[in-house]
Amino acid sequence: MTLRTARPRTSGDLIASIAGRVPMRNLHSQVLWQLGVAIVGGDFPEGSILPSDAELLQRFAVSRTVLREALKTLAAKGMIEARARIGTRVLPRARWNLFDSDVLAWHFETGPDEAFLRSLAEIRIGVELESAALAALRRTDEQAQALIDCARAMGETTTPEDFARTDLEFHRTVAQASANPFMASISTLVELALTAAFTISSPIKDPTAMAATVKAHSRIAQAIQAGDAEEARVAMKAVISEGLDRQMKAR
């Protein structure tokens, strides 16, 4: 069984860059990335036993400490479990922490299937519709104007990366405007979904799709500025659904 090797620039690098974080490049993160991608990609299927520590140490050419830390991190994410006299087993996907940034990035690195993308869109709908509605009722004048400005700036972006960053800033501002600290915390998943989706599809190369996306975000901003919670919900659902449709067509 051959482990996948990390590409020079992975989807994880892109996600971290767009979200404003510095990608980790130490030995621990490299081993963690390759093992995580191998598990998510099915090189090590659910229920299978990972190679022994001795074999993994030979493959990665790292210290036992580095390997053990990578395995502990995978265990903390609900992906593996070590048992005496059995070995380290890959746990069922139902146990994996899909809210974890690494786990989500590994799915996009290996190419998420339609079911995964739909599930991600559904959880976004569950979170962001209410976030937009609360923002319409609680936003400050400054936040309302920031959303209007952000939607306008989205239409002026010229690269997929700049578009993704502006899109991310828009949704972050909606979460902040909800004035609900839990909503803002959950929006981390939204951040990951948006930045990871960039690795599949961006509307910036399609003028028609770009215009529709900017208009849809402007609709959200205007509804929040007007204090129309129901319109904000409808407009947000349209944005998420259109994004999903675009990803499906790009696969």
Side-chain angles (χ1 to χ4, degrees):
M1 187 178 294
T2 302
L3 286 174
R4 300 165 188 258
T5 57
R7 296 197 294 264
R9 194 184 189 202
T10 66
S11 60
D13 293 330
L14 287 170
I15 292 170
S17 175
I18 292 168
R21 296 189 295 268
V22 177
M24 293 183 64
R25 298 185 182 279
N26 57 32
L27 289 175
H28 168 264
S29 65
Q30 291 174 22
V31 174
L32 177 64
W33 179 269
Q34 291 189 51
L35 280 172
V37 168
I39 292 172
V40 173
D43 293 341
F44 298 131
E46 299 168 63
S48 66
I49 302 297
L50 293 183
S52 66
D53 283 5
E55 183 178 346
L56 291 175
L57 287 170
Q58 183 176 11
R59 292 189 186 191
F60 291 117
V62 295
S63 69
R64 187 174 297 276
T65 299
V66 169
L67 177 62
R68 289 285 174 85
E69 285 303 312
L71 293 175
K72 285 181 181 179
T73 301
L74 288 170
K77 297 177 188 295
M79 299 182 72
I80 61 173
E81 183 178 61
R83 290 193 175 183
R85 297 186 298 278
I86 295 177
T88 301
R89 185 183 301 278
V90 177
L91 295 174
R93 288 178 183 262
R95 299 275 298 275
W96 300 0
N97 180 10
L98 295 180
F99 287 85
D100 182 89
S101 59
D102 288 331
V103 178
L104 185 61
W106 295 333
H107 276 83
F108 278 87
E109 181 74 7
T110 59
D113 59 20
E114 181 175 328
F116 183 84
L117 292 174
R118 289 194 180 282
S119 295
L120 191 56
E122 288 167 359
I123 193 64
R124 284 189 61 195
I125 286 173
V127 173
E128 289 197 88
L129 266 63
E130 193 59 27
S131 181
L134 290 174
L137 300 175
R138 300 173 177 176
R139 58 61 176 178
T140 65
D141 290 342
E142 291 76 12
Q143 288 168 331
Q145 187 59 50
L147 288 170
I148 296 292
D149 293 342
C150 198
R152 183 183 302 111
M154 188 179 297
E156 299 170 353
T157 56
T158 57
T159 68
E161 290 90 345
D162 286 344
F163 175 86
R165 289 189 186 95
T166 308
D167 192 11
L168 175 57
E169 182 60 29
F170 182 94
H171 289 269
R172 279 175 173 167
T173 304
V174 171
Q176 292 165 1
S178 74
N180 183 319
F182 292 98
M183 195 69 73
S185 178
I186 295 173
S187 72
T188 300
L189 172 66
V190 174
E191 170 186 318
L192 296 169
L194 284 169
T195 54
F198 160 78
T199 65
I200 295 179
S201 172
S202 172
I204 199 163
K205 295 182 179 180
D206 182 340
T208 301
M210 181 69 168
T213 300
V214 172
K215 182 178 180 180
H217 282 78
S218 295
R219 181 184 175 191
I220 297 172
Q222 291 165 5
I224 290 175
Q225 186 178 53
D228 190 336
E230 187 54 36
E231 170 66 4
R233 285 192 183 95
V234 172
M236 181 63 80
K237 186 174 183 179
V239 162
I240 297 171
S241 298
E242 288 168 7
L244 175 62
D245 289 344
R246 194 167 59 247
Q247 290 176 47
M248 293 299 184
K249 292 176 181 177
R251 292 181 72 250

PDB file of all heavy atoms in Angstrom, residues 109-140:
ATOM      1  N   GLU A 109      -8.865  17.681  -0.648  1.00  0.00           N
ATOM      2  CA  GLU A 109      -7.629  17.247  -1.296  1.00  0.00           C
ATOM      3  C   GLU A 109      -7.857  15.975  -2.107  1.00  0.00           C
ATOM      4  O   GLU A 109      -7.296  15.812  -3.190  1.00  0.00           O
ATOM      5  CB  GLU A 109      -6.549  17.010  -0.239  1.00  0.00           C
ATOM      6  CG  GLU A 109      -5.210  16.578  -0.800  1.00  0.00           C
ATOM      7  CD  GLU A 109      -4.452  17.706  -1.485  1.00  0.00           C
ATOM      8  OE1 GLU A 109      -4.896  18.867  -1.418  1.00  0.00           O
ATOM      9  OE2 GLU A 109      -3.410  17.418  -2.083  1.00  0.00           O
ATOM     10  N   THR A 110      -8.676  15.074  -1.587  1.00  0.00           N
ATOM     11  CA  THR A 110      -8.911  13.806  -2.264  1.00  0.00           C
ATOM     12  C   THR A 110     -10.080  13.863  -3.239  1.00  0.00           C
ATOM     13  O   THR A 110     -10.278  12.926  -4.014  1.00  0.00           O
ATOM     14  CB  THR A 110      -9.189  12.682  -1.237  1.00  0.00           C
ATOM     15  OG1 THR A 110     -10.329  13.041  -0.446  1.00  0.00           O
ATOM     16  CG2 THR A 110      -7.998  12.485  -0.320  1.00  0.00           C
ATOM     17  N   GLY A 111     -10.829  14.957  -3.225  1.00  0.00           N
ATOM     18  CA  GLY A 111     -11.950  15.087  -4.154  1.00  0.00           C
ATOM     19  C   GLY A 111     -13.243  14.630  -3.519  1.00  0.00           C
ATOM     20  O   GLY A 111     -13.578  13.438  -3.571  1.00  0.00           O
ATOM     21  N   PRO A 112     -13.986  15.542  -2.870  1.00  0.00           N
ATOM     22  CA  PRO A 112     -15.219  15.152  -2.184  1.00  0.00           C
ATOM     23  C   PRO A 112     -16.286  14.689  -3.161  1.00  0.00           C
ATOM     24  O   PRO A 112     -16.380  15.202  -4.274  1.00  0.00           O
ATOM     25  CB  PRO A 112     -15.641  16.446  -1.468  1.00  0.00           C
ATOM     26  CG  PRO A 112     -15.082  17.535  -2.333  1.00  0.00           C
ATOM     27  CD  PRO A 112     -13.764  17.004  -2.828  1.00  0.00           C
ATOM     28  N   ASP A 113     -17.077  13.699  -2.743  1.00  0.00           N
ATOM     29  CA  ASP A 113     -18.143  13.231  -3.623  1.00  0.00           C
ATOM     30  C   ASP A 113     -19.383  14.108  -3.467  1.00  0.00           C
ATOM     31  O   ASP A 113     -19.431  15.025  -2.636  1.00  0.00           O
ATOM     32  CB  ASP A 113     -18.477  11.765  -3.343  1.00  0.00           C
ATOM     33  CG  ASP A 113     -18.918  11.507  -1.904  1.00  0.00           C
ATOM     34  OD1 ASP A 113     -19.331  12.470  -1.222  1.00  0.00           O
ATOM     35  OD2 ASP A 113     -18.845  10.351  -1.466  1.00  0.00           O
ATOM     36  N   GLU A 114     -20.387  13.815  -4.284  1.00  0.00           N
ATOM     37  CA  GLU A 114     -21.602  14.633  -4.295  1.00  0.00           C
ATOM     38  C   GLU A 114     -22.298  14.634  -2.942  1.00  0.00           C
ATOM     39  O   GLU A 114     -22.788  15.675  -2.482  1.00  0.00           O
ATOM     40  CB  GLU A 114     -22.558  14.116  -5.378  1.00  0.00           C
ATOM     41  CG  GLU A 114     -23.850  14.901  -5.494  1.00  0.00           C
ATOM     42  CD  GLU A 114     -24.720  14.435  -6.641  1.00  0.00           C
ATOM     43  OE1 GLU A 114     -24.165  13.987  -7.668  1.00  0.00           O
ATOM     44  OE2 GLU A 114     -25.961  14.513  -6.518  1.00  0.00           O
ATOM     45  N   ALA A 115     -22.337  13.478  -2.297  1.00  0.00           N
ATOM     46  CA  ALA A 115     -23.013  13.382  -1.000  1.00  0.00           C
ATOM     47  C   ALA A 115     -22.348  14.276   0.035  1.00  0.00           C
ATOM     48  O   ALA A 115     -23.022  14.931   0.842  1.00  0.00           O
ATOM     49  CB  ALA A 115     -23.027  11.932  -0.520  1.00  0.00           C
ATOM     50  N   PHE A 116     -21.012  14.311   0.020  1.00  0.00           N
ATOM     51  CA  PHE A 116     -20.287  15.142   0.975  1.00  0.00           C
ATOM     52  C   PHE A 116     -20.575  16.621   0.727  1.00  0.00           C
ATOM     53  O   PHE A 116     -20.818  17.386   1.666  1.00  0.00           O
ATOM     54  CB  PHE A 116     -18.786  14.880   0.865  1.00  0.00           C
ATOM     55  CG  PHE A 116     -17.957  15.647   1.868  1.00  0.00           C
ATOM     56  CD1 PHE A 116     -17.785  15.152   3.145  1.00  0.00           C
ATOM     57  CD2 PHE A 116     -17.372  16.856   1.544  1.00  0.00           C
ATOM     58  CE1 PHE A 116     -17.038  15.853   4.085  1.00  0.00           C
ATOM     59  CE2 PHE A 116     -16.621  17.566   2.462  1.00  0.00           C
ATOM     60  CZ  PHE A 116     -16.454  17.061   3.742  1.00  0.00           C
ATOM     61  N   LEU A 117     -20.548  17.045  -0.538  1.00  0.00           N
ATOM     62  CA  LEU A 117     -20.809  18.446  -0.860  1.00  0.00           C
ATOM     63  C   LEU A 117     -22.228  18.850  -0.472  1.00  0.00           C
ATOM     64  O   LEU A 117     -22.447  19.949   0.050  1.00  0.00           O
ATOM     65  CB  LEU A 117     -20.583  18.687  -2.351  1.00  0.00           C
ATOM     66  CG  LEU A 117     -19.133  18.568  -2.845  1.00  0.00           C
ATOM     67  CD1 LEU A 117     -19.079  18.688  -4.366  1.00  0.00           C
ATOM     68  CD2 LEU A 117     -18.260  19.627  -2.196  1.00  0.00           C
ATOM     69  N   ARG A 118     -23.178  17.959  -0.703  1.00  0.00           N
ATOM     70  CA  ARG A 118     -24.567  18.268  -0.327  1.00  0.00           C
ATOM     71  C   ARG A 118     -24.712  18.363   1.186  1.00  0.00           C
ATOM     72  O   ARG A 118     -25.413  19.242   1.699  1.00  0.00           O
ATOM     73  CB  ARG A 118     -25.524  17.219  -0.893  1.00  0.00           C
ATOM     74  CG  ARG A 118     -25.699  17.291  -2.400  1.00  0.00           C
ATOM     75  CD  ARG A 118     -26.888  16.493  -2.890  1.00  0.00           C
ATOM     76  NE  ARG A 118     -27.019  16.575  -4.326  1.00  0.00           N
ATOM     77  CZ  ARG A 118     -27.528  17.616  -4.980  1.00  0.00           C
ATOM     78  NH1 ARG A 118     -27.973  18.668  -4.288  1.00  0.00           N
ATOM     79  NH2 ARG A 118     -27.595  17.628  -6.286  1.00  0.00           N
ATOM     80  N   SER A 119     -24.064  17.470   1.895  1.00  0.00           N
ATOM     81  CA  SER A 119     -24.136  17.504   3.359  1.00  0.00           C
ATOM     82  C   SER A 119     -23.534  18.792   3.892  1.00  0.00           C
ATOM     83  O   SER A 119     -24.057  19.390   4.838  1.00  0.00           O
ATOM     84  CB  SER A 119     -23.402  16.296   3.950  1.00  0.00           C
ATOM     85  OG  SER A 119     -24.042  15.097   3.599  1.00  0.00           O
ATOM     86  N   LEU A 120     -22.441  19.224   3.284  1.00  0.00           N
ATOM     87  CA  LEU A 120     -21.800  20.463   3.702  1.00  0.00           C
ATOM     88  C   LEU A 120     -22.714  21.655   3.454  1.00  0.00           C
ATOM     89  O   LEU A 120     -22.842  22.556   4.291  1.00  0.00           O
ATOM     90  CB  LEU A 120     -20.478  20.635   2.945  1.00  0.00           C
ATOM     91  CG  LEU A 120     -19.528  21.735   3.413  1.00  0.00           C
ATOM     92  CD1 LEU A 120     -19.191  21.576   4.885  1.00  0.00           C
ATOM     93  CD2 LEU A 120     -18.250  21.703   2.577  1.00  0.00           C
ATOM     94  N   ALA A 121     -23.379  21.666   2.298  1.00  0.00           N
ATOM     95  CA  ALA A 121     -24.316  22.751   1.987  1.00  0.00           C
ATOM     96  C   ALA A 121     -25.490  22.747   2.953  1.00  0.00           C
ATOM     97  O   ALA A 121     -25.968  23.805   3.379  1.00  0.00           O
ATOM     98  CB  ALA A 121     -24.809  22.613   0.546  1.00  0.00           C
ATOM     99  N   GLU A 122     -25.950  21.560   3.336  1.00  0.00           N
ATOM    100  CA  GLU A 122     -27.085  21.466   4.252  1.00  0.00           C
ATOM    101  C   GLU A 122     -26.751  22.024   5.625  1.00  0.00           C
ATOM    102  O   GLU A 122     -27.580  22.707   6.244  1.00  0.00           O
ATOM    103  CB  GLU A 122     -27.536  20.004   4.348  1.00  0.00           C
ATOM    104  CG  GLU A 122     -28.242  19.507   3.096  1.00  0.00           C
ATOM    105  CD  GLU A 122     -28.418  18.004   3.058  1.00  0.00           C
ATOM    106  OE1 GLU A 122     -27.962  17.316   4.003  1.00  0.00           O
ATOM    107  OE2 GLU A 122     -29.008  17.511   2.085  1.00  0.00           O
ATOM    108  N   ILE A 123     -25.536  21.742   6.125  1.00  0.00           N
ATOM    109  CA  ILE A 123     -25.178  22.278   7.444  1.00  0.00           C
ATOM    110  C   ILE A 123     -24.991  23.783   7.355  1.00  0.00           C
ATOM    111  O   ILE A 123     -25.297  24.515   8.299  1.00  0.00           O
ATOM    112  CB  ILE A 123     -23.926  21.576   8.012  1.00  0.00           C
ATOM    113  CG1 ILE A 123     -23.764  21.898   9.499  1.00  0.00           C
ATOM    114  CG2 ILE A 123     -22.674  21.959   7.251  1.00  0.00           C
ATOM    115  CD1 ILE A 123     -24.869  21.381  10.373  1.00  0.00           C
ATOM    116  N   ARG A 124     -24.502  24.272   6.217  1.00  0.00           N
ATOM    117  CA  ARG A 124     -24.388  25.715   6.036  1.00  0.00           C
ATOM    118  C   ARG A 124     -25.768  26.371   6.051  1.00  0.00           C
ATOM    119  O   ARG A 124     -25.963  27.427   6.651  1.00  0.00           O
ATOM    120  CB  ARG A 124     -23.684  26.040   4.716  1.00  0.00           C
ATOM    121  CG  ARG A 124     -22.183  25.828   4.714  1.00  0.00           C
ATOM    122  CD  ARG A 124     -21.577  26.389   3.450  1.00  0.00           C
ATOM    123  NE  ARG A 124     -21.820  27.824   3.340  1.00  0.00           N
ATOM    124  CZ  ARG A 124     -21.661  28.523   2.215  1.00  0.00           C
ATOM    125  NH1 ARG A 124     -21.284  27.910   1.102  1.00  0.00           N
ATOM    126  NH2 ARG A 124     -21.886  29.816   2.209  1.00  0.00           N
ATOM    127  N   ILE A 125     -26.727  25.736   5.388  1.00  0.00           N
ATOM    128  CA  ILE A 125     -28.091  26.273   5.384  1.00  0.00           C
ATOM    129  C   ILE A 125     -28.636  26.322   6.806  1.00  0.00           C
ATOM    130  O   ILE A 125     -29.273  27.294   7.220  1.00  0.00           O
ATOM    131  CB  ILE A 125     -28.999  25.422   4.466  1.00  0.00           C
ATOM    132  CG1 ILE A 125     -28.668  25.715   2.993  1.00  0.00           C
ATOM    133  CG2 ILE A 125     -30.478  25.707   4.743  1.00  0.00           C
ATOM    134  CD1 ILE A 125     -29.387  24.812   2.008  1.00  0.00           C
ATOM    135  N   GLY A 126     -28.344  25.260   7.576  1.00  0.00           N
ATOM    136  CA  GLY A 126     -28.822  25.224   8.947  1.00  0.00           C
ATOM    137  C   GLY A 126     -28.253  26.325   9.815  1.00  0.00           C
ATOM    138  O   GLY A 126     -28.911  26.805  10.745  1.00  0.00           O
ATOM    139  N   VAL A 127     -27.037  26.759   9.504  1.00  0.00           N
ATOM    140  CA  VAL A 127     -26.369  27.784  10.308  1.00  0.00           C
ATOM    141  C   VAL A 127     -26.572  29.186   9.742  1.00  0.00           C
ATOM    142  O   VAL A 127     -26.974  30.116  10.453  1.00  0.00           O
ATOM    143  CB  VAL A 127     -24.855  27.486  10.418  1.00  0.00           C
ATOM    144  CG1 VAL A 127     -24.126  28.636  11.094  1.00  0.00           C
ATOM    145  CG2 VAL A 127     -24.617  26.189  11.165  1.00  0.00           C
ATOM    146  N   GLU A 128     -26.299  29.341   8.469  1.00  0.00           N
ATOM    147  CA  GLU A 128     -26.203  30.692   7.900  1.00  0.00           C
ATOM    148  C   GLU A 128     -27.537  31.380   7.663  1.00  0.00           C
ATOM    149  O   GLU A 128     -27.593  32.612   7.661  1.00  0.00           O
ATOM    150  CB  GLU A 128     -25.405  30.648   6.604  1.00  0.00           C
ATOM    151  CG  GLU A 128     -23.926  30.378   6.808  1.00  0.00           C
ATOM    152  CD  GLU A 128     -23.102  30.746   5.604  1.00  0.00           C
ATOM    153  OE1 GLU A 128     -22.671  31.914   5.500  1.00  0.00           O
ATOM    154  OE2 GLU A 128     -22.918  29.865   4.748  1.00  0.00           O
ATOM    155  N   LEU A 129     -28.605  30.623   7.468  1.00  0.00           N
ATOM    156  CA  LEU A 129     -29.894  31.277   7.286  1.00  0.00           C
ATOM    157  C   LEU A 129     -30.302  32.025   8.548  1.00  0.00           C
ATOM    158  O   LEU A 129     -30.751  33.176   8.492  1.00  0.00           O
ATOM    159  CB  LEU A 129     -30.972  30.263   6.892  1.00  0.00           C
ATOM    160  CG  LEU A 129     -31.214  30.088   5.385  1.00  0.00           C
ATOM    161  CD1 LEU A 129     -29.960  29.558   4.705  1.00  0.00           C
ATOM    162  CD2 LEU A 129     -32.394  29.160   5.129  1.00  0.00           C
ATOM    163  N   GLU A 130     -30.130  31.360   9.685  1.00  0.00           N
ATOM    164  CA  GLU A 130     -30.488  32.014  10.945  1.00  0.00           C
ATOM    165  C   GLU A 130     -29.510  33.130  11.275  1.00  0.00           C
ATOM    166  O   GLU A 130     -29.888  34.159  11.851  1.00  0.00           O
ATOM    167  CB  GLU A 130     -30.532  30.989  12.078  1.00  0.00           C
ATOM    168  CG  GLU A 130     -31.186  31.501  13.347  1.00  0.00           C
ATOM    169  CD  GLU A 130     -32.631  31.942  13.132  1.00  0.00           C
ATOM    170  OE1 GLU A 130     -33.288  31.417  12.208  1.00  0.00           O
ATOM    171  OE2 GLU A 130     -33.095  32.817  13.888  1.00  0.00           O
ATOM    172  N   SER A 131     -28.248  32.932  10.905  1.00  0.00           N
ATOM    173  CA  SER A 131     -27.254  33.977  11.114  1.00  0.00           C
ATOM    174  C   SER A 131     -27.634  35.245  10.356  1.00  0.00           C
ATOM    175  O   SER A 131     -27.567  36.358  10.895  1.00  0.00           O
ATOM    176  CB  SER A 131     -25.874  33.486  10.651  1.00  0.00           C
ATOM    177  OG  SER A 131     -24.882  34.461  10.856  1.00  0.00           O
ATOM    178  N   ALA A 132     -28.066  35.083   9.116  1.00  0.00           N
ATOM    179  CA  ALA A 132     -28.473  36.239   8.309  1.00  0.00           C
ATOM    180  C   ALA A 132     -29.718  36.903   8.885  1.00  0.00           C
ATOM    181  O   ALA A 132     -29.827  38.139   8.906  1.00  0.00           O
ATOM    182  CB  ALA A 132     -28.725  35.796   6.866  1.00  0.00           C
ATOM    183  N   ALA A 133     -30.666  36.088   9.351  1.00  0.00           N
ATOM    184  CA  ALA A 133     -31.887  36.640   9.929  1.00  0.00           C
ATOM    185  C   ALA A 133     -31.579  37.437  11.195  1.00  0.00           C
ATOM    186  O   ALA A 133     -32.113  38.544  11.401  1.00  0.00           O
ATOM    187  CB  ALA A 133     -32.875  35.519  10.235  1.00  0.00           C
ATOM    188  N   LEU A 134     -30.729  36.898  12.051  1.00  0.00           N
ATOM    189  CA  LEU A 134     -30.349  37.609  13.267  1.00  0.00           C
ATOM    190  C   LEU A 134     -29.580  38.888  12.927  1.00  0.00           C
ATOM    191  O   LEU A 134     -29.756  39.922  13.592  1.00  0.00           O
ATOM    192  CB  LEU A 134     -29.491  36.715  14.159  1.00  0.00           C
ATOM    193  CG  LEU A 134     -30.218  35.546  14.831  1.00  0.00           C
ATOM    194  CD1 LEU A 134     -29.224  34.653  15.556  1.00  0.00           C
ATOM    195  CD2 LEU A 134     -31.285  36.053  15.802  1.00  0.00           C
ATOM    196  N   ALA A 135     -28.745  38.821  11.907  1.00  0.00           N
ATOM    197  CA  ALA A 135     -27.995  40.012  11.489  1.00  0.00           C
ATOM    198  C   ALA A 135     -28.938  41.122  11.055  1.00  0.00           C
ATOM    199  O   ALA A 135     -28.693  42.307  11.334  1.00  0.00           O
ATOM    200  CB  ALA A 135     -27.033  39.656  10.359  1.00  0.00           C
ATOM    201  N   ALA A 136     -30.029  40.754  10.384  1.00  0.00           N
ATOM    202  CA  ALA A 136     -30.992  41.755   9.946  1.00  0.00           C
ATOM    203  C   ALA A 136     -31.651  42.460  11.131  1.00  0.00           C
ATOM    204  O   ALA A 136     -32.027  43.639  11.033  1.00  0.00           O
ATOM    205  CB  ALA A 136     -32.069  41.098   9.075  1.00  0.00           C
ATOM    206  N   LEU A 137     -31.768  41.760  12.238  1.00  0.00           N
ATOM    207  CA  LEU A 137     -32.429  42.325  13.420  1.00  0.00           C
ATOM    208  C   LEU A 137     -31.453  43.030  14.375  1.00  0.00           C
ATOM    209  O   LEU A 137     -31.861  43.904  15.139  1.00  0.00           O
ATOM    210  CB  LEU A 137     -33.152  41.211  14.183  1.00  0.00           C
ATOM    211  CG  LEU A 137     -34.241  40.451  13.411  1.00  0.00           C
ATOM    212  CD1 LEU A 137     -34.773  39.301  14.253  1.00  0.00           C
ATOM    213  CD2 LEU A 137     -35.364  41.390  13.002  1.00  0.00           C
ATOM    214  N   ARG A 138     -30.169  42.672  14.310  1.00  0.00           N
ATOM    215  CA  ARG A 138     -29.226  43.137  15.324  1.00  0.00           C
ATOM    216  C   ARG A 138     -28.027  43.924  14.791  1.00  0.00           C
ATOM    217  O   ARG A 138     -27.254  44.448  15.579  1.00  0.00           O
ATOM    218  CB  ARG A 138     -28.703  41.930  16.111  1.00  0.00           C
ATOM    219  CG  ARG A 138     -29.780  41.146  16.822  1.00  0.00           C
ATOM    220  CD  ARG A 138     -29.202  39.867  17.431  1.00  0.00           C
ATOM    221  NE  ARG A 138     -30.193  39.112  18.190  1.00  0.00           N
ATOM    222  CZ  ARG A 138     -29.970  37.932  18.745  1.00  0.00           C
ATOM    223  NH1 ARG A 138     -28.768  37.365  18.608  1.00  0.00           N
ATOM    224  NH2 ARG A 138     -30.914  37.313  19.411  1.00  0.00           N
ATOM    225  N   ARG A 139     -27.872  43.984  13.508  1.00  0.00           N
ATOM    226  CA  ARG A 139     -26.660  44.601  12.947  1.00  0.00           C
ATOM    227  C   ARG A 139     -26.555  46.074  13.330  1.00  0.00           C
ATOM    228  O   ARG A 139     -27.548  46.771  13.581  1.00  0.00           O
ATOM    229  CB  ARG A 139     -26.634  44.422  11.431  1.00  0.00           C
ATOM    230  CG  ARG A 139     -27.814  44.977  10.606  1.00  0.00           C
ATOM    231  CD  ARG A 139     -28.031  46.392  10.674  1.00  0.00           C
ATOM    232  NE  ARG A 139     -29.055  46.977   9.858  1.00  0.00           N
ATOM    233  CZ  ARG A 139     -29.331  48.259   9.894  1.00  0.00           C
ATOM    234  NH1 ARG A 139     -28.691  49.050  10.740  1.00  0.00           N
ATOM    235  NH2 ARG A 139     -30.263  48.771   9.114  1.00  0.00           N
ATOM    236  N   THR A 140     -25.310  46.534  13.378  1.00  0.00           N
ATOM    237  CA  THR A 140     -25.075  47.969  13.560  1.00  0.00           C
ATOM    238  C   THR A 140     -25.074  48.631  12.193  1.00  0.00           C
ATOM    239  O   THR A 140     -24.995  47.952  11.156  1.00  0.00           O
ATOM    240  CB  THR A 140     -23.710  48.216  14.233  1.00  0.00           C
ATOM    241  OG1 THR A 140     -22.664  47.768  13.339  1.00  0.00           O
ATOM    242  CG2 THR A 140     -23.614  47.481  15.557  1.00  0.00           C
TER     243      THR A 140
END
